[in-house]
Amino acid sequence: MTLVEPSRARTAPPPPKAVSPGRQVWQMFRRNHSAMAGLFILLAIILISLVGPSLYTVNPREMVWMPLTPPGQSEYVLGTDYLGRDLLAGLINGGRVTITIGVFAAVLTVLIGVTVGAMAGFFGGRVDNLLMRVTEFFQVLPNLLFAMVVVMLFGPTLVNISVAIGIVSWTSTARLTRAEFLRIREMDYVKAERSIGAGNARLIWKVILPNAAPPLIVVAALSIGSAILFEAGLSFLGLSDPNAMSWGRMIGDNRPYILDSSWGVTFPGLAIFLTVLAISLVGDGLNDAINPKLRQRQ
Amino acid sequence: MFQRLSRTFLGALPVALALSVGAAPVAHAEPKAGGTLTTFTSGYRTLNPAVQSGASTGSPGSQIFAGLVTVGQDYKIQPYLAKDWEVSADQLTVTFNLVSGAKFHDGAPITGEDVKFSLETVKANHPFGAAMFGNVGEIDVPSPETVVIHLNQPVPGLLLSMQPLLMPILPKHVYGDGQDIKTHPRNMENVVGSGPFKVEENNPAERLVLVKNEDFFIEGRPYLDKIVYPMVKDPLTRVLMLEKGEIDFAPFSGIRPTDVARIERAEGVNLTTDGYDAIGYVHYFEMNLRNEPFSNREVREALAHAIDTGFLSKVIFGGKAVPGTGPLHTGNPFYSADVPMYEPDMDKAAAMLDAAGYPVKDGVRFSFVLDVPSWAPQAHVPMAEYIQAQLEKLNIKVELRKAPDFGTWVQRISSWDYEATMNGSFNYPDPTIGVHRHFDCDNIKNVIWANTEGYCNPEVDKLLDAAAVEVDFDKRKALYAELQKTIQQDLVFIYMPQDFSATVYSDAVGNMPDTPFGALAPMYDTYLDK
């Protein structure tokens, strides 16, 4: 009898191959053409920003040619800005700064937003009430004005600009996180975890947060794009770090000359447009891939 | 888009016609009375030029208030409220005879007492009061139409300071009520002036409207019925408004040299750089001389060799800004070109820095923060960015710090809490007003545009003291020539291209104010022909 056991085991159908959630998401994502296009554009921009400055070595701050030279009329193919600086060098070097600000501000947005939202959603009651009033306070402040005040007060440096963007844009992340937490904290598996003695910290970070993560990942990705746009907006108003070349700053610098030499703002504008578009496509793709409801629909 | 295209096309037509008949600047026949001149303001805090210097207050202020004299072409002093004057042989007494029947806007007569009151008020309250009238002693008013000014020492530039911008005639019965004139409510409300135009509407956030003073003491003047100053802050907007004919006259237009071609292409719009000589707007790179490395003259000389102001003038400012060579503006009557020059030479600069004890160490010689004020970005931002890029080649790290507003910058510079800054100031026609303040040892004060850099040279002080009281023009000019040489030898500042000050005006404007004080002089002769 005992001899039969192994043979029966051998003939049994193999258990379904376990596919890791990450892989599953990637498979879904890969099938989404627009998302893949966005990903390629994004990777290309990041690659150019990383290695470009060492391949194309023109100093973006140096005045190399006659100011406001149109594209294609000198060795500087995209033309020059109002001080005769090479626009191509500016674009290549500016990408690094722009993306860094975007990522840093997005990290800050998510950090503040998730912390506030998690506390409010998990503890409820008074804590929720207090944190949500704080959130509303930040929500009713006009974003751009508030960020301008912060940058003006503390000076336009890269860190201050990123912090200002982070401070004004975390509220929607907080609201989303709170909603997810309110929903998930009533789930049976959370109650089960609590019943076997899990503490609040464990429940928040190890149990609820991973289950609330999918929409948050999408929001985080998209907030990089909006942070880049925000930085461009501040720069347009002249609030950019004068010591770092960013795309937004290039637009702000060349804005007064827009009537006679549109290329000075067109190229950095296109760069920002492409980057934000790519980030949005990737974000949408992630949303489709991560969200189980959407996944079933496909 | 289509609108823009058709406008360009239609605009080209009259140009072609004009060219075919040999276009000449529109010749105006006879001055004609009437019409509304539209100019602009970028905002002002007060309309009283007795307590505030600068163009924002001065431009309308010189229309509202009269002065004893005006300054014509070549700095010729002309009668205004004073019909004539007499200077004693020892240069210590000046007697002014006023025109008869002059009245303030409220109908009260303008008397010698008002002149005395105005002079005392300006001396005590104007930023240049002490520089202009510090040597004024007793003032006698023997009759309502005579004023006698006694001087402790000769004041060679006295008459230049007697025009309305720097010495407006104020009504004593309004301002003599004991209130602090700097914050007097009547500086903005219900302003009673003495000049060719009266205030009709004063809403600084929106617009200022001046109307003709029918009782003005010069018969038949002013020609204009109205001058309107809408608030327009953005230079780009100003250019567009000029092109569309919404502004007739824009002094201190703030336009960039690169806008010139565009303005010249526009139909019916002209541009001139006349009318700014007496203002003498110079820009410079100011270093705090109290601290290393700028306390070292060798370092300053190295920087002077590295910063090519000719390049800035020619390339960055399109050849429209004249390089400055010293503390005096090239349009100043005491200007001298005979000063040490520091030709652009990067190798020499590097060698000098090595010798001065600043070799390249870990890729950097030294670093400093360069403050960039907010009040003249069209000039200071390109200069600062050029300096940053240029010094980077010498391994000097320059960190730019843009001031968010005027107050922040003033606070830093006037408390001497800075390393270097872009700066600029007005000469005014007499150097005692706008030039001495930067170099006098006694003027090392926590005041903006005083001697904030901390320069003190007893030789220079002697020159300044001698020039301040020298009444012989040629001797005085020689003293100032020596001063300019010494200042450039000591490299107190590194002078940048002078300001590109330009007036943009429409064809309809006749008798453009193009005297040394330009738009800051009374415009009773200006008329419109449209």
Side-chain angles (χ1 to χ4, degrees):
Chain A
M1 280 295 278
T2 51
L3 284 171
V4 183
E5 285 295 328
S7 70
R8 198 195 284 163
R10 230 175 287 134
T11 53
K17 205 166 103 200
V19 181
S20 75
R23 211 180 161 73
Q24 221 175 339
V25 167
W26 171 238
Q27 277 167 358
M28 285 298 300
F29 188 88
R30 214 172 45 180
R31 263 181 258 156
N32 187 335
H33 296 303
S34 53
M36 284 306 283
L39 186 66
F40 278 120
I41 298 174
L42 196 59
L43 287 177
I45 289 171
I46 292 173
L47 191 73
I48 293 172
S49 302
L50 286 180
V51 302
S54 38
L55 296 178
Y56 187 79
T57 52
V58 178
N59 182 344
R61 279 196 293 277
E62 199 181 330
M63 290 139 203
V64 289
W65 203 254
M66 283 307 288
L68 305 175
T69 308
Q73 293 193 2
S74 66
E75 58 187 287
Y76 305 102
V77 287
L78 293 188
T80 61
D81 76 351
Y82 81 112
L83 288 177
R85 299 176 293 200
D86 183 8
L87 281 175
L88 180 60
L91 283 186
I92 290 175
N93 286 273
R96 212 188 278 193
V97 174
T98 300
I99 293 171
T100 310
I101 291 181
V103 171
F104 188 75
V107 166
L108 205 66
T109 303
V110 170
L111 223 59
I112 304 175
V114 166
T115 311
V116 170
M119 295 303 147
F122 183 80
F123 293 109
R126 270 198 183 151
V127 179
D128 182 23
N129 220 332
L130 178 75
L131 288 175
M132 280 305 106
R133 294 302 82 76
V134 172
T135 310
E136 275 158 15
F137 173 74
F138 278 92
Q139 266 181 318
V140 296
L141 287 175
N143 279 358
L144 187 63
L145 278 184
F146 186 42
M148 281 172 71
V149 170
V150 172
V151 174
M152 281 224 183
L153 273 181
F154 298 100
T157 64
L158 292 184
V159 173
N160 290 350
I161 291 169
S162 310
V163 169
I165 298 173
I167 287 177
V168 299
S169 36
W170 57 269
T171 49
S172 52
T173 314
R175 290 228 162 242
L176 182 72
T177 313
R178 172 177 174 269
E180 287 293 296
F181 267 65
L182 282 178
R183 185 176 63 83
I184 295 172
R185 75 169 182 191
E186 303 301 333
M187 296 277 177
D188 288 341
Y189 59 85
V190 179
K191 288 182 181 156
E193 195 80 19
R194 195 195 292 276
S195 69
I196 58 172
N200 284 342
R202 182 182 161 79
L203 285 174
I204 291 174
W205 301 117
K206 288 278 166 67
V207 181
I208 305 182
L209 190 60
N211 286 290
L216 294 180
I217 292 172
V218 176
V219 167
L222 291 176
S223 66
I224 298 176
S226 44
I228 289 176
L229 279 182
F230 209 115
E231 189 264 341
L234 286 174
S235 303
F236 187 79
L237 297 169
L239 294 171
S240 56
D241 186 339
N243 297 296
M245 188 63 78
S246 76
W247 293 337
R249 178 190 163 192
M250 292 172 74
I251 295 181
D253 280 359
N254 289 299
R255 179 185 71 96
Y257 306 90
I258 193 168
L259 292 171
D260 291 308
S261 48
S262 52
W263 55 91
V265 294
T266 307
F267 292 120
L270 273 177
I272 291 174
F273 166 72
L274 268 183
T275 311
V276 176
L277 178 73
I279 291 172
S280 297
L281 290 175
V282 170
D284 281 349
L286 272 180
N287 192 26
D288 292 352
I290 287 175
N291 193 328
K293 285 175 202 145
L294 288 173
R295 204 187 299 161
Q296 276 157 14
R297 211 166 53 198
Q298 278 183 341
Chain B
M1 184 67 197
F2 286 109
Q3 215 178 349
R4 203 180 144 81
L5 276 178
S6 63
R7 205 188 71 195
T8 315
F9 179 70
L10 290 175
L13 210 65
V15 173
L17 284 175
L19 283 176
S20 64
V21 295
V26 186
H28 297 281
E30 279 289 295
K32 153 170 145 170
T36 299
L37 180 81
T38 309
T39 171
F40 77 93
T41 176
S42 52
Y44 51 90
R45 291 186 308 174
T46 170
L47 288 172
N48 186 350
V51 295
Q52 171 80 52
S53 65
S56 302
T57 295
S59 175
S62 294
Q63 315 312 323
I64 302 167
F65 295 95
L68 285 177
V69 300
T70 60
V71 177
Q73 292 300 0
D74 299 323
Y75 295 100
K76 199 168 167 291
I77 309 291
Q78 293 166 340
Y80 191 15
L81 182 65
K83 62 182 177 201
D84 53 45
W85 54 91
E86 208 179 298
V87 183
S88 69
D90 61 1
Q91 306 276 346
L92 291 176
T93 311
V94 187
T95 308
F96 289 96
N97 296 308
L98 309 187
V99 297
S100 311
K103 288 192 187 103
F104 283 108
H105 295 166
D106 61 357
I110 304 176
T111 69
E113 285 299 334
D114 294 300
V115 175
K116 178 180 176 190
F117 172 76
S118 305
L119 185 50
E120 284 165 351
T121 303
V122 169
K123 183 180 168 184
N125 293 285
H126 194 280
F128 317 139
M132 295 189 291
F133 303 127
N135 279 328
V136 169
E138 283 296 301
I139 302 171
D140 295 333
V141 186
S143 83
E145 288 174 11
T146 315
V147 181
V148 182
I149 298 172
H150 299 281
L151 305 171
N152 303 328
Q153 273 187 304
V155 183
L158 186 74
L159 286 171
L160 282 174
S161 307
M162 288 295 180
Q163 38 65 49
L165 174 72
L166 298 171
M167 222 293 267
I169 303 299
L170 309 172
K172 187 180 179 184
H173 61 278
V174 173
Y175 292 109
D177 60 0
Q179 292 190 65
D180 182 4
I181 187 143
K182 283 185 181 154
T183 54
H184 202 289
R186 299 291 288 273
N187 288 342
M188 282 301 265
E189 282 166 37
N190 196 2
V191 182
V192 173
S194 45
F197 293 93
K198 302 192 280 193
V199 183
E200 184 182 70
E201 183 188 329
N202 176 19
N203 182 356
E206 218 174 291
R207 62 180 199 157
L208 170 72
V209 180
L210 303 185
V211 293
K212 179 176 182 170
N213 173 12
E214 299 287 352
D215 291 330
F216 187 49
F217 55 83
I218 300 179
E219 199 61 43
R221 301 284 193 285
Y223 290 123
L224 296 168
D225 282 342
K226 255 186 196 186
I227 307 179
V228 182
Y229 300 77
M231 166 82 153
V232 190
K233 269 199 162 171
D234 181 31
L236 187 63
T237 313
R238 251 174 253 158
V239 172
L240 292 173
M241 288 176 82
L242 279 159
E243 282 181 358
K244 288 170 86 179
E246 288 172 18
I247 292 181
D248 304 308
F249 174 64
F252 294 91
S253 53
I255 65 159
R256 298 162 177 81
T258 42
D259 291 331
V260 170
R262 197 185 157 70
I263 296 280
E264 282 170 348
R265 274 202 309 273
E267 178 65 9
V269 180
N270 310 289
L271 181 140
T272 178
T273 51
D274 289 344
Y276 296 93
D277 283 355
I279 306 301
Y281 191 171
V282 297
H283 293 293
Y284 48 90
F285 172 73
E286 174 177 337
M287 297 152 281
N288 192 336
L289 305 182
R290 296 170 187 83
N291 309 319
E292 286 283 321
F294 299 124
S295 53
N296 187 334
R297 192 197 160 276
E298 296 295 297
V299 171
R300 304 203 294 274
E301 187 174 343
L303 297 198
H305 282 295
I307 298 168
D308 182 355
T309 53
F311 174 85
L312 270 170
S313 292
K314 275 197 223 82
V315 180
I316 306 299
F317 295 115
K320 307 278 182 191
V322 182
T325 62
L328 264 63
H329 190 272
T330 47
N332 192 285
F334 299 102
Y335 172 75
S336 157
D338 179 23
V339 294
M341 300 293 262
Y342 303 92
E343 78 287 354
D345 187 340
M346 294 302 273
D347 296 332
K348 193 170 174 185
M352 292 190 80
L353 287 170
D354 285 339
Y358 293 96
V360 183
K361 218 162 58 185
D362 304 325
V364 184
R365 286 181 197 275
F366 60 87
S367 56
F368 67 93
V369 174
L370 174 57
D371 281 302
V372 184
S374 59
W375 42 267
Q378 72 279 12
H380 290 160
V381 171
M383 290 172 188
E385 295 194 349
Y386 169 75
I387 290 173
Q388 183 185 40
Q390 198 65 4
L391 297 189
E392 190 179 332
K393 292 183 203 161
L394 285 177
N395 299 84
I396 298 170
K397 193 171 172 293
V398 182
E399 192 191 316
L400 301 185
R401 182 166 61 176
K402 282 190 189 171
D405 52 53
F406 185 60
T408 309
W409 178 81
V410 167
Q411 169 62 27
R412 278 177 191 150
I413 309 306
S414 62
S415 60
W416 313 335
D417 179 22
Y418 71 104
E419 289 179 277
T421 182
M422 297 315 304
N423 206 339
S425 70
F426 292 169
N427 267 189
Y428 289 101
D430 198 87
T432 48
I433 304 173
V435 178
H436 286 215
R437 53 180 171 167
H438 295 306
F439 308 109
D440 198 328
C441 296
D442 293 337
N443 209 28
I444 302 182
K445 288 180 187 161
N446 289 114
V447 174
I448 196 64
W449 294 306
N451 185 342
T452 45
E453 77 279 6
Y455 171 73
C456 186
N457 179 347
E459 293 301 313
V460 165
D461 266 19
K462 262 185 230 162
L463 281 173
L464 294 175
D465 291 345
V469 296
E470 179 55 64
V471 286
D472 182 277
F473 181 83
D474 293 326
K475 283 189 194 154
R476 199 162 179 232
K477 190 162 176 163
L479 287 169
Y480 280 123
E482 190 59 33
L483 174 80
Q484 291 168 73
K485 219 183 249 179
T486 316
I487 297 296
Q488 274 304 79
Q489 185 57 43
D490 287 354
L491 279 165
V492 183
F493 299 130
I494 296 176
Y495 284 94
M496 294 282 122
Q498 291 169 176
D499 193 65
F500 176 70
S501 309
T503 301
V504 185
Y505 62 102
S506 86
D507 280 344
V509 181
N511 281 344
M512 259 280 302
D514 56 358
T515 54
F517 277 97
L520 304 184
M523 298 202 290
Y524 50 73
D525 276 333
T526 302
Y527 63 94
L528 272 179
D529 186 13
K530 57 177 171 189

